[in-house]
Amino acid sequence: MLVFTHPACLAHDTGPGHAERPERLVAVTDALRDAFPDVLDWRESPRATRDQLARAHAPALLQCVLDSTPTQRVMLDPDTALSPDSAEAALRAAGAAIAAVDAVLASPGTRAFCAVRPPGHHATTDTAMGFCLFNSVAVAALHALEAHGLARVAIADFDVHHGNGTQAIFEHDPRVLFVGSHQMPLYPGTGAESETGVGNIINAPLPPDSGSEAFRAAWETRLLPAIDAFAPQLLLVSAGFDAHARDPLAQLRLSADDYGWLTQRLVGLANRHAGGRIVSMLEGGYDLAALRESSVAHVAALKA
Ligand SMILES: [Zn+2]
């Protein structure tokens, strides 16, 4: 079980009082080191290249994040900061995704978790938004398709917010299945069941206070069977832990056990179709205790 991370991800400075703060990543990596001493293979992530990012993103977004070299923090929208060290963090976050795909495709049965920030699933082709600069999971999927020649990649997104950027990047691309559960109504406002792409998008919106039972039912009856039918050669996960009951930004009321349950089911599908190969990317999650216990439950199931 590989874990990719990089200290540069801590230097992305979103400003005082911002929910998407460096302490999130420290909480996750400390919890994993404490829970799984000696059993995780820790790797420092490389930088993604401009060409790897350009598979998912327009030149204008690459220029904005990589070439504007701000001397102080600027806000790209009311939520999304670009600080002097953000470009390096975003390159290492997307680079973790690339390196993790390369590693799991090189060796069947391998799984990888990328403990990185900024998160990615809200970033569209041309817009950084919702704390996200580059869409790392989309960069990973396109790397698997275009550099490794895979034909079918599935992305499972259980962050409490809809992965609008991932959906937008792939809604016309039948090589990718995107399935996800999220709270609705909630930021960013997309993710209705009626949004189906070219038949490759499956959204399971859940009302506030849904809790564990409704969450598990959505995955059991709709989302997991869709992955099973698609038979992906690689399974990617947008692992946001902000549906946890303690999270301050949402009200879906899950527990760490729910993340362990779902991850076990995803591992089962990866074993059936994808040679066991999973790459999971940290997305959201804004309560530090919830992040610790949820990431431990997720990785415990991934490494099994
Ligand atoms: Zn989120």
Side-chain angles (χ1 to χ4, degrees):
M1 172 80 203
L2 303 169
V3 181
F4 288 88
T5 190
H6 196 282
C9 293
L10 299 171
H12 166 54
D13 176 13
T14 51
H18 198 289
E20 203 292 281
R21 57 210 190 275
E23 290 81 358
R24 299 177 55 246
L25 185 52
V26 174
V28 168
T29 54
D30 282 358
L32 295 180
R33 284 195 177 91
D34 289 348
F36 310 110
D38 311 322
V39 298
L40 299 178
D41 183 356
W42 290 83
R43 306 270 178 97
E44 200 158 88
S45 60
R47 294 187 184 97
T49 68
R50 216 167 169 114
D51 287 346
Q52 289 164 344
L53 296 167
R55 295 185 184 123
H57 293 299
L61 179 60
L62 300 185
Q63 284 161 17
C64 166
V65 175
L66 299 178
D67 302 335
S68 62
T69 57
T71 55
Q72 58 184 358
R73 186 177 54 251
V74 296
M75 298 307 287
L76 303 179
D77 71 13
D79 301 318
T80 310
L82 187 70
S83 70
D85 295 317
S86 295
E88 179 71 9
L91 286 169
R92 297 289 181 176
I98 294 278
V101 166
D102 288 341
V104 306
L105 290 177
S107 135
T110 309
R111 291 189 267 276
F113 179 64
C114 298
V116 292
R117 62 184 284 278
H121 73 152
H122 294 306
T124 67
T125 297
D126 58 6
T127 307
M129 61 181 280
F131 314 162
C132 301
L133 298 176
F134 296 138
N135 194 316
S136 298
V137 80
V139 168
L142 288 162
H143 185 66
L145 294 165
E146 292 175 19
H148 291 277
L150 266 57
R152 293 181 313 284
V153 175
I155 302 173
D157 186 330
F158 57 73
D159 190 280
V160 80
H161 303 93
H162 178 238
N164 62 295
T166 313
Q167 174 174 303
I169 289 168
F170 293 115
E171 63 191 348
H172 303 296
D173 187 344
R175 299 174 299 174
V176 174
L177 175 74
F178 175 68
V179 308
S181 60
H182 45 273
Q183 180 176 318
M184 183 175 272
L186 192 66
Y187 181 90
T190 50
E193 279 188 26
S194 58
E195 297 165 25
T196 56
V198 289
N200 65 328
I201 306 288
I202 304 181
N203 284 307
L206 298 166
D209 299 311
S210 283
S212 167
E213 200 172 323
F215 172 81
R216 293 189 188 205
W219 282 91
E220 195 73 78
T221 61
R222 296 192 59 216
L223 304 179
L224 294 169
I227 297 172
D228 199 15
F230 185 71
Q233 296 161 295
L234 172 68
L235 180 55
L236 305 178
V237 180
S238 269
F241 300 111
D242 40 8
H244 190 284
R246 294 178 58 99
D247 196 90
L249 300 193
Q251 298 79 37
L252 219 45
R253 315 258 177 247
L254 301 189
S255 70
D257 285 347
D258 294 315
Y259 294 119
W261 171 84
L262 177 54
T263 307
Q264 265 181 355
R265 301 302 307 271
L266 293 171
V267 166
L269 289 173
N271 286 341
R272 184 175 307 159
H273 298 293
R277 294 176 292 224
I278 295 180
V279 170
S280 174
M281 306 294 306
L282 179 64
E283 299 280 3
Y286 304 98
D287 178 85
L288 300 184
L291 270 173
R292 282 185 207 101
E293 63 177 37
S294 302
S295 58
V296 166
H298 180 57
V299 169
L302 279 181
K303 73 174 188 58

